[in-house]
Amino acid sequence: MRMNCLPRLALVLSLAVACGDTTNTSDGASSTGDEPGTSTGGTTSEQTSATTTGDATTTTTTTATTTTDPTTGGTTGEAAYCHGWDGAAGPAHLELHNGDVLLADGGVLNLECGGQGLYMFGLYPTFGGFLPTSDNVTFELTVDVPGHNTNPSGHFYSNTSVIYYVGCEDLIGGVFGVVPILPPDNDDPLTLDGLTADVEVLMSAGDEIVTVKFTATLAVDPNDPSFMFCGG
């Protein structure tokens, strides 16, 4: 379930953009390297294709979780965590969505004009099974698209430290609830339509690493009016 709550003044999301550097950066995210770390002894969560399950959608709510101890369910009315965190109960898990559609092999990733004025393919996460130790959860991304793996690390996009805000207070200037995949700066977005992307996402979940892998088709709609904001 995806949760939206009231934000606070601060800027926490910063991303790396491949621009002749060793990592990609974007307004609002931070990066510490090029390649994702190796996941050992962690939990792997494989997303199955909607074509095999027959159910490609997920239902979300916009109500904040309130609890003093999410593992026991005791409540005090204090906000816990938001932006996709669905509680500490159960094993550590991660699902990624394109809008409300679960991303899995054979799915579609739509190009969007992000809130920072950059093109992106957005991954919208739902996750839990652990208790965050701060207002941030760290993701690592590696995305490969044949013919377009041109960043300094040899990928379409890679970022070893995407800092994702899970707090429940407003932050002015931030972009919340999405883990962006940023196309290379030198790519014409229209040339990406219909191409296949291999996506690997690692999420730090306490002492565990949760990994999701899937292959999706990139979709670009040149008539999307929001593209004017990104210069399309």
Side-chain angles (χ1 to χ4, degrees), residues 2 83-84 94-101 103 110 112 120-127 164 176-179:
R2 190 169 315 124
H83 303 295
L94 168 66
E95 292 182 347
L96 299 168
H97 305 85
N98 175 26
D100 288 331
V101 179
L103 283 167
N110 296 102
E112 308 173 38
M120 71 173 186
F121 295 96
L123 306 176
Y124 296 86
T126 300
F127 55 94
Y164 181 91
F176 312 114
V178 62
V179 177

Side-chain angles (χ1 to χ4, degrees), residues 3 7 18 35 45 53 60 78 87 89 95 104 107 113 130 138 144 148-150 168 176 185 205 209 214:
M3 306 185 181
E35 299 299 333
S45 173
T53 64
T60 61
E78 297 178 356
E95 292 182 347
C113 185
F130 67 100
T138 301
D144 291 319
H148 294 264
N149 296 326
T150 58
C168 293
F176 312 114
D185 285 346
I209 298 294
F214 62 92

Side-chain angles (χ1 to χ4, degrees), residues 138-164:
T138 301
F139 289 86
E140 299 181 8
L141 280 75
T142 304
V143 182
D144 291 319
V145 177
H148 294 264
N149 296 326
T150 58
N151 83 355
S153 300
H155 301 291
F156 178 77
Y157 179 75
S158 57
N159 190 335
T160 61
S161 186
V162 178
I163 306 303
Y164 181 91

